[in-house]
Amino acid sequence: MLELPATLTIEKLEEFIEKVNSSGAVQPLNLPIGKKNIAFGAIAMAVQAVNTWANVSTNKKILLTRPSKNEAHYLPSLVEVPYKFAAAMMSKDIFYSNDLAINVRREINNLASEAIDDQSNELFGQNHGRLCWYSFIDHSTKGFDSNFYLTSSLDHAEPRGLEQIRSIVSSMVDRSSSVAGGSVKLDDSSTDELGRIFYELFINTHEHGSRDINRSKWLRPGNRMIYTYGINLSDSAVKNSQLNNKVLKEYINGLKASDKSTRRFIELSIIDSGLGFYGRWLADHPEEYSIKNADIKREYEIIKKCLKFRSSSTKNEIKGNGLPSVMASLTRLNGFMKIRSNRTSIYRDFNLEPYKFNLEDDCVFMDWATQKNCNDFITECPNARGVSITILIPLSDRNDLKEEN
């Protein structure tokens, strides 16, 4: 039996994905009760881990540990957590591990269906504390959320424009950061930057993460999610995150020289259950290499091509689209970006490595495992389903602003 870790870290979830790839296609998935500490990017990674399990598993069976108390709230609580929500939606059967006679999948699906129907009632979507999220599950039955698409028609659905996406992201960020507390609300310029970033990534995942091998077919079931998560770290939590992760330690230390907070952040993520950037490329270019035989550096170059698919030829960063526009905006916001797709796990710290809007930059990333330039070395990771992109944006501390005044 496969079991998602209760403490969510990228390292533990990478181990889980490796087990999924090596365990065979009939292993049931056990979802832990509750959740403990959540590290940076771990919610997105957990959704991707579930998508990987659902892609490999043939029976898609989930086992739940029956809680010793508060059982009446247990099933509703599952749909309040993005990765458990995703697991339930991608499953075929859901049982308690000590009672395989009762299948509770229909009950959970009804709860999830209500949550999806209700998520558009507020512009910030589903909200549980500092977490705001939207789910796009199984296009064959739920269609497309009207906040994001001009129509729910499966044949002609088109994403809405930049201003609408910007409005949604602004609402989600405001909600997540206000619940987390202690930070200054983003100004209009920063909100515009975030809106542009999220719009480009949403268009990208619509293009690459929602279709089957044949582009005319939508993935059914398909699972895409977006979320914002407000982070308010205590001093000890900051120290722990620094000690436990070299990449984040370097990023947080670098922020100390800026006017940004080293405690308060907004985490934004977008995750899909598609073929992954390289898998999508292979489907569109069958004459290319087999994914099993291709060099990992080739895969990295394809990722950059996929992310640049809306890039314009202009040198004007305001008019640019695709990855260059995203990287220019992240530079202005002192942001951080991590991408996990197929066999690659890469990142860029835009505070220490600002993007230069010219041909010399070439949108270079670093290898997550070794912190080396991907042009020099890339770690080959266990194959993960779809794409998860996580962005970290530092806020400004409210107390620091008062001290300056």
Side-chain angles (χ1 to χ4, degrees):
M1 179 173 66
L2 295 164
E3 183 170 3
L4 273 175
T7 299
L8 296 183
T9 66
I10 289 174
E11 291 72 25
K12 288 182 179 294
L13 289 164
E14 286 286 7
E15 292 174 1
F16 174 84
I17 291 175
E18 186 171 16
K19 289 179 182 177
V20 169
N21 286 327
S22 62
S23 64
V26 295
Q27 290 283 0
L29 174 65
N30 179 258
L31 297 181
I33 294 177
K35 59 182 184 295
K36 298 181 181 178
N37 298 325
I38 298 176
F40 160 74
I43 297 174
M45 191 75 183
V47 175
Q48 188 173 36
V50 165
N51 290 340
T52 304
W53 165 79
N55 181 63
V56 171
S57 176
T58 53
N59 58 22
K60 295 180 174 57
K61 180 187 294 185
I62 289 177
L63 299 180
L64 305 175
T65 301
R66 191 183 294 273
S68 58
K69 57 182 179 179
N70 297 327
E71 186 169 341
H73 182 64
Y74 179 53
L75 294 186
S77 71
L78 292 178
V79 301
E80 296 176 359
V81 182
Y83 58 92
K84 294 182 181 181
F85 186 107
M89 293 298 92
M90 301 295 272
S91 68
K92 293 181 179 178
D93 296 293
I94 305 176
F95 301 95
Y96 286 115
S97 57
N98 63 347
D99 188 356
L100 300 182
I102 301 177
N103 193 333
V104 296
R105 181 176 182 267
R106 177 173 294 183
E107 185 176 350
I108 294 176
N109 277 7
N110 288 338
L111 293 168
S113 180
E114 292 175 5
I116 293 177
D117 289 339
D118 292 342
Q119 70 184 5
S120 296
N121 292 340
E122 300 285 355
L123 203 56
F124 47 72
Q126 301 184 52
N127 176 228
H128 302 285
R130 62 187 66 184
L131 177 67
C132 295
W133 55 294
Y134 278 88
S135 176
F136 307 90
I137 296 282
D138 194 351
H139 304 304
S140 65
T141 60
K142 300 308 298 181
F144 294 85
D145 192 290
S146 60
N147 271 340
F148 291 86
Y149 286 90
L150 294 171
T151 173
S152 61
S153 166
L154 295 178
D155 296 323
H156 306 288
E158 291 293 335
R160 290 186 179 272
L162 172 60
E163 285 307 310
Q164 172 68 4
I165 301 298
R166 175 197 175 281
S167 178
I168 295 172
V169 172
S170 175
S171 179
M172 294 172 71
V173 168
D174 285 349
R175 182 73 172 182
S176 291
S177 58
S178 64
V179 173
S183 62
V184 179
K185 184 177 179 180
L186 288 173
D187 58 30
D188 289 343
S189 175
S190 297
T191 299
D192 285 339
E193 297 283 8
L194 276 181
R196 176 176 292 277
I197 290 169
F198 219 89
Y199 176 72
E200 292 296 337
L201 295 180
F202 183 77
I203 296 298
N204 196 286
T205 195
H206 171 77
E207 177 74 13
H208 293 103
S210 61
R211 312 300 177 88
D212 210 334
I213 293 176
N214 182 340
R215 270 189 178 271
S216 65
K217 296 182 179 180
W218 295 93
L219 286 171
R220 299 178 181 175
N223 171 27
R224 286 187 295 151
M225 288 187 175
I226 64 172
Y227 72 78
T228 60
Y229 185 66
I231 299 173
N232 187 345
L233 298 171
S234 65
D235 287 337
S236 60
V238 172
K239 292 176 181 177
N240 288 338
S241 67
Q242 290 178 325
L243 291 174
N244 293 333
N245 191 289
K246 292 180 180 179
V247 176
L248 292 180
K249 177 180 179 179
E250 186 176 44
Y251 175 59
I252 292 174
N253 283 338
L255 288 174
K256 292 178 180 178
S258 73
D259 61 349
K260 301 296 183 180
S261 176
T262 57
R263 292 194 199 183
R264 295 174 177 90
F265 302 85
I266 282 292
E267 179 177 316
L268 304 95
S269 284
I270 187 161
I271 316 105
D272 67 65
S273 61
L275 306 178
F277 286 129
Y278 190 53
R280 177 73 267 160
W281 180 270
L282 289 176
D284 293 342
H285 303 82
E287 72 281 2
E288 289 280 348
Y289 304 98
S290 164
I291 194 168
K292 295 181 180 179
N293 299 324
D295 183 88
I296 192 67
K297 287 193 175 182
R298 171 66 174 166
E299 190 170 316
Y300 165 63
E301 292 300 325
I302 294 302
I303 287 177
K304 292 198 293 182
K305 284 186 178 182
C306 292
L307 287 166
K308 291 178 182 179
F309 85 100
R310 275 170 38 81
S311 298
S312 66
S313 59
T314 179
K315 297 296 191 298
N316 186 330
E317 60 185 273
I318 302 301
K319 295 181 180 179
N321 294 315
L323 183 60
S325 174
V326 169
M327 298 181 88
S329 292
L330 286 171
T331 295
R332 288 189 284 269
L333 292 170
N334 302 92
F336 181 96
M337 174 188 247
K338 179 180 183 294
I339 300 175
R340 181 70 166 90
S341 176
N342 297 119
R343 300 176 297 171
T344 56
S345 182
I346 58 179
Y347 74 94
R348 181 154 171 171
D349 178 343
F350 293 93
N351 182 59
L352 294 180
E353 296 291 337
Y355 174 69
K356 300 177 179 63
F357 211 94
N358 55 48
L359 295 177
E360 295 178 3
D361 191 292
D362 193 34
C363 303
V364 174
F365 285 88
M366 308 293 284
D367 179 62
W368 178 264
T370 64
Q371 294 83 58
K372 293 182 179 180
N373 189 310
C374 288
N375 290 335
D376 300 324
F377 180 83
I378 308 178
T379 301
E380 184 172 330
C381 301
N383 194 45
R385 180 70 175 183
V387 176
S388 67
I389 300 177
T390 304
I391 290 170
L392 204 58
I393 302 295
L395 302 174
S396 295
D397 290 315
R398 190 176 297 149
N399 291 339
D400 290 348
L401 188 65
K402 290 181 179 178
E403 289 173 5
E404 291 176 4
N405 293 335

